[in-house]
Amino acid sequence: LTRPDAAPSEAPAFGFALHATDGTARRGTVTTAHGEIRTPAFMPVGTLGTVKCLYPEQVRATGADILLGNTYHLMLRPGAERVAGQGGLHRFMNWPHPILTDSGGFQVMSLAKLRKITEKGVTFQSHVDGSRHELTPERSLEIQGLLGSDIQMQLDECVALPADRREMERAMELSLRWAARSKAAFFGRRGHGLFGIVQGGDDEELRARSAAGLVEIGFDGYALGGLAVGEPQEVMFRVIEATAPALPADRPRYLMGVGTPQDILGGVARGIDMFDCVMPTRAGRHGLAYTRYGKVNLRNARHADDPRPLDAASDCPAARDWSRAYLHHLVRTGEALGAMLLTHVNVAYYQSLMAELRVAIETGRFAEVKAQIEADWARGDI
Ligand SMILES: Nc1nc(=O)c2cc3nc(NCCN4CCCCC4)[nH]c3cc2[nH]1
């Protein structure tokens, strides 16, 4: 197994250092009990304690500093107390680096049945076996503590867009009350942080009230929730532009559930530090590759006799050492290696994009690097 978790007394304090800015783009480092996170950062999603189709060491080799896990899924299977009994999620999945866990509210609304939201919390039926469960701000943090996650998220309510203003206001104000309860319930072991989540839909006044309320309570970092829920990209960017400046510059900013490479590039440009999305892993299992020159659908017959790798210049073996013809064959036949290789390609591409942006901000060349990346995407895969 991996090295034993750092004893609480040795763990460094949770922190964020801002090293450089270029316009509104930021380059920083988050410090946690399980190590440092270079920002801007992309978190591969490991919902059930695994980044699907990859070994943890492969994920690490792509440059990922932190993974995302889900309270909702892990509380149902295998159960938070069971994971704690196995030494916590880091040891359970053999990932000795930082882990962030989502709080479960969003997943309940998108997956569970018979959901009921009250002031106390949310009750729901498991989408797995119909069993009944309750999540409150306090229980969500208890679960995240049992999992041992380094960055814990408050329980919140995310409304789908478009929504009417009263609905967005109600959910935002409930989330703020749950934020205060989360702060009171959070026993942050050394090196562990609690993030508040800004809500307010696409209404800039509600977003400003939510941000101000969270800053008043005080968190180790601030997430922008309620986005990537069906709104156009320009609406998401407008909300980020209205919200980011209202958040403390010396705390990480995390845009939840985002997104495509284009969304991430625009988010970094507007001052976002952390991202997560199922896109690279899910797309890999469906035969879709992300490359420097855009997306390549390996199901397409045009690849059947193409001897070229996806990207001969990549340092990811999956993008460099196999032909498109072979990848096409694996995808068409539904072979497991197809999902494994394309997941590896995609996670490695997302990490190479983040690494390129971190260097661009450090060297004051963000605008020209952004333009070159967008030109390469426009050129397309030839
Ligand atoms: N606690 C919490 N609060 C949110 O407001 C939230 C908002 C979110 N918005 C997304 N969007 C996910 C979009 N994703 C794009 C690729 C296909 C599957 C869905 N994930 C989210 C997760 C979230 N978690």
Side-chain angles (χ1 to χ4, degrees):
L1 283 181
T2 54
R3 62 172 176 71
D5 290 353
S9 57
E10 294 158 18
F14 187 91
F16 178 64
L18 193 56
H19 307 311
T21 58
D22 187 344
T24 38
R26 295 147 47 94
R27 170 77 174 86
T29 300
V30 181
T31 301
T32 78
H34 283 90
E36 297 190 340
I37 303 151
R38 297 161 289 179
T39 67
F42 179 81
M43 300 183 277
V45 173
T47 287
L48 278 160
T50 154
V51 176
K52 300 182 191 309
C53 300
L54 292 181
Y55 280 65
E57 51 262 40
Q58 287 176 306
V59 178
R60 182 63 178 157
T62 67
D65 290 335
I66 179 170
L67 298 182
L68 179 139
N70 271 302
T71 294
Y72 171 79
H73 296 79
L74 289 167
M75 71 186 278
L76 299 179
R77 295 179 296 179
E81 281 74 10
R82 173 162 290 156
V83 174
Q86 295 297 318
L89 187 56
H90 294 83
R91 195 159 306 176
F92 192 50
M93 68 183 289
N94 197 14
W95 170 263
H97 310 292
I99 294 174
L100 177 149
T101 44
D102 199 354
S103 49
F106 181 84
Q107 289 76 31
V108 166
M109 300 316 284
S110 45
L111 288 169
K113 301 189 294 287
L114 286 179
R115 298 99 48 162
K116 185 165 178 293
I117 295 185
T118 66
E119 186 65 34
K120 184 169 185 259
V122 56
T123 57
F124 60 93
Q125 261 193 297
S126 161
H127 73 290
V128 176
D129 62 10
S131 54
R132 295 204 56 71
H133 299 266
E134 178 183 55
L135 264 184
T136 63
E138 296 79 10
R139 175 60 182 159
S140 176
L141 288 184
E142 184 181 29
I143 290 169
Q144 296 179 68
L146 286 165
L147 298 175
S149 85
D150 301 278
I151 300 177
Q152 302 177 23
M153 304 305 293
Q154 70 155 95
L155 186 69
D156 61 329
E157 186 191 349
C158 167
V159 295
L161 289 181
D164 65 51
R165 194 179 189 283
R166 274 189 324 285
E167 187 58 8
M168 296 193 291
E169 184 171 36
R170 179 200 57 74
M172 182 275 283
E173 290 176 342
L174 175 64
S175 297
L176 260 186
R177 294 194 296 275
W178 284 359
R181 284 169 52 188
S182 301
K183 178 71 182 287
F186 181 62
F187 174 71
R189 280 178 295 166
R190 194 167 166 72
H192 298 69
L194 174 67
F195 280 21
I197 304 177
V198 180
Q199 291 294 347
D202 58 2
D203 184 294
E204 295 178 24
E205 193 270 331
L206 294 178
R207 285 278 172 179
R209 274 169 45 195
S210 178
L214 292 174
V215 171
E216 174 79 21
I217 297 166
F219 287 92
D220 300 302
Y222 297 87
L224 277 70
L227 292 171
V229 289
E231 77 284 358
Q233 185 189 63
E234 64 268 13
V235 169
M236 179 173 76
F237 285 168
R238 177 171 57 76
V239 169
I240 297 169
E241 287 161 10
T243 309
L247 298 174
D250 64 348
R251 291 284 187 277
R253 299 152 182 180
Y254 163 30
L255 179 55
M256 305 187 84
V258 174
T260 65
Q262 291 76 9
D263 293 337
I264 290 171
L265 186 53
V268 170
R270 291 168 174 80
I272 300 295
D273 306 304
M274 297 167 67
F275 302 84
D276 86 274
C277 190
V278 296
M279 205 81 88
T281 40
R282 184 174 295 178
R285 298 195 303 279
H286 294 103
L288 195 66
Y290 282 92
T291 76
R292 161 175 290 280
Y293 299 112
K295 291 188 288 194
V296 182
N297 183 345
L298 272 305
R299 294 197 64 83
N300 192 307
R302 70 187 176 93
H303 303 295
D305 298 299
D306 190 338
R308 297 174 303 157
L310 279 170
D311 183 353
S314 173
D315 58 7
C316 171
R320 191 191 55 216
D321 299 341
W322 283 272
S323 70
R324 292 160 191 238
Y326 181 65
L327 293 168
H328 172 71
H329 163 64
L330 293 180
V331 169
R332 276 298 183 93
T333 54
E335 278 294 333
L337 185 60
M340 292 159 63
L341 289 172
L342 290 178
T343 300
H344 200 175
V345 164
N346 293 348
V347 172
Y349 171 70
Y350 267 65
Q351 292 305 328
S352 68
L353 174 65
M354 304 319 289
E356 191 172 2
L357 297 181
R358 291 194 293 263
V359 170
I361 298 165
E362 285 164 6
T363 55
R365 298 176 55 249
F366 183 75
E368 67 187 271
V369 169
K370 177 173 183 287
Q372 183 57 56
I373 289 170
E374 287 166 336
D376 288 345
W377 286 337
R379 190 196 86 159
D381 180 64
I382 45 182

